[in-house]
Amino acid sequence: MKKELFYIGLGKMGMNMAERLVQRKWRVVGYDPSESTREEAHQRGIEVVKTIGDGVEKLSQDARIFWIMVPHAQVDEVLDELSDVLRPKDVVIDGGNSPFQESLRRHKELKEMGIHYLDAGVSGGPGGAHQGACVMIGGEKKIFEEHEELFRDISAPDAYQFLGSAGAGHFVKMVHNGIEYGMMQAIAEGFTLLKESSFDLDLVEIAKLYNQQSVIESRLVGWLQAGLEHYGENLDEISGEVAHSGEGQWTVDFARKLDIRVGNIEQALEFRKASQGNPSYTGKLLSTMRNMFGGHTVEKGKVQNT
């Protein structure tokens, strides 16, 4: 297999993932609707095109690879644009945060056309995308195995796994994000207690300490430490209103269908919803972590990414 693919969507995650592949000797044809983004991608060694149609024409393999990295609401738009040019044996990989039920539908629809579909949940934020992400993959095992080199190159060491049939990758990523909500909420609530205590505590030093062989050592605590160092302990520049993404809600909704209680995740989600118009220091801590690992806009007065 020639190391070549068409990468559609060069946002914070996509740009870094595409550049990582270039560094690993892949020929990456890339498209993004933003001209400035395309210019940056060109500087990073990505072979940019102005339209999706232009990108398709540049691919040389019989069985082509299309990696889609756009918001979930735009995936069908991209597939519609590709519908006239996709052909049997092509491989479509959805690397965004799509609802797993939609991945099941897309897999079925594309399979009827002889086109292979893999759903790939990606975790690690923009930094992880560049240094090596954690990738959760669902679809046909044979197709995964044929393209395992791609997932190996895009991931950190031992940080990718084939999880099962279509939808499994996005389902596991959905639950991952639900867990993330609960973990972040606990960290933010704990550090609010530390700040409001009568002790004169240095939150940066405590975060650093917690991240040295303690039970709660984690990347989230490390990102909080970095955020406190960058913005200052009072987080004056940071919004105390916390945006939320679809995956937390999807996790709660699906748990309800299974009659499984996910109280911690649900409460973390409800906190974010209630924070709109009701900012707090706990909210600032959550926003800070979102900014440090995901690059989300969290400064006061600016629209937050969801």
Side-chain angles (χ1 to χ4, degrees):
M1 182 187 73
K2 185 176 180 182
K3 295 176 70 167
E4 172 190 270
L5 82 164
F6 186 13
Y7 205 102
I8 302 170
L10 299 170
K12 291 175 294 186
M13 294 286 288
M15 180 79 77
N16 286 344
M17 292 175 75
E19 183 182 24
R20 178 179 173 86
L21 289 174
V22 169
Q23 292 169 349
R24 281 152 182 77
K25 310 303 181 184
W26 283 77
R27 179 188 178 221
V28 180
V29 178
Y31 167 74
D32 193 274
S34 165
E35 182 177 355
S36 62
T37 298
R38 293 197 302 268
E39 290 174 358
E40 181 183 350
H42 175 71
Q43 295 299 318
R44 297 199 194 189
I46 299 163
E47 194 174 331
V48 296
V49 292
K50 292 183 179 180
T51 69
I52 288 178
D54 290 342
V56 173
E57 291 180 3
K58 284 184 172 288
L59 298 177
S60 61
Q61 298 185 95
D62 290 334
R64 303 163 300 180
I65 305 172
F66 299 83
W67 188 295
I68 301 175
M69 201 73 181
V70 300
H72 71 87
Q74 298 175 19
V75 175
D76 283 339
E77 296 174 19
V78 173
L79 290 174
D80 286 345
E81 197 162 350
L82 288 171
S83 61
D84 291 336
V85 296
L86 286 172
R87 60 195 184 206
K89 297 185 180 180
D90 282 346
V91 178
V92 173
I93 303 170
D94 180 3
N97 286 323
S98 290
F100 76 93
Q101 298 95 332
E102 293 296 291
S103 300
L104 287 166
R105 173 182 61 81
R106 291 170 184 142
H107 174 268
K108 180 180 179 182
E109 292 173 352
L110 291 172
K111 187 175 182 179
E112 291 173 354
M113 301 165 59
I115 298 159
H116 304 295
Y117 173 91
L118 297 173
D119 48 287
V122 180
S123 179
H130 193 266
Q131 298 162 16
C134 174
V135 186
M136 311 157 208
I137 306 142
E140 298 174 57
K141 188 172 185 179
K142 178 183 176 183
I143 302 306
F144 159 74
E145 289 172 344
E146 290 175 356
H147 297 84
E148 187 170 1
E149 183 178 14
L150 168 60
F151 293 107
R152 184 184 302 116
D153 284 347
I154 216 164
S155 305
D158 300 318
Y160 70 92
Q161 189 172 132
F162 177 77
L163 296 163
S165 59
H170 281 152
F171 178 75
V172 172
K173 178 57 164 52
M174 177 193 76
V175 175
H176 161 284
N177 282 31
I179 293 170
E180 175 189 300
Y181 271 46
M183 291 175 67
M184 289 175 67
Q185 188 70 28
I187 291 168
E189 291 174 358
F191 272 80
T192 300
L193 283 172
L194 292 170
K195 181 173 174 56
E196 295 301 320
S197 76
S198 59
F199 299 102
D200 184 18
L201 299 174
D202 186 325
L203 299 191
V204 171
E205 290 302 314
I206 293 172
K208 188 183 300 183
L209 177 62
Y210 281 169
N211 242 20
Q212 298 297 324
Q213 304 301 313
S214 85
V215 172
I216 63 168
E217 177 184 6
S218 66
R219 298 182 78 189
L220 287 169
V221 172
W223 279 314
L224 180 57
Q225 176 191 331
L228 291 168
E229 289 174 334
H230 180 77
Y231 291 107
E233 186 175 299
N234 290 328
L235 302 174
D236 292 325
E237 302 173 40
I238 301 298
S239 172
E241 300 179 42
V242 195
H244 65 92
S245 61
E247 302 94 291
Q249 185 69 62
W250 302 340
T251 305
V252 170
D253 290 345
F254 191 71
R256 287 173 179 163
K257 287 184 179 179
L258 297 183
D259 197 25
I260 293 174
R261 187 176 183 279
V262 289
N264 290 340
I265 297 172
E266 186 166 6
Q267 288 172 23
L269 173 65
E270 292 305 316
F271 178 91
R272 295 191 185 197
K273 292 179 180 179
S275 74
Q276 307 308 307
N278 185 34
S280 65
Y281 186 71
T282 300
K284 287 175 177 282
L285 292 164
L286 288 167
S287 292
T288 299
M289 283 184 275
R290 294 185 81 245
N291 173 257
M292 298 310 293
F293 75 74
H296 301 291
T297 302
V298 295
E299 288 85 359
K300 289 180 178 178
K302 297 184 179 180
V303 176
Q304 291 199 31
N305 307 75
T306 55

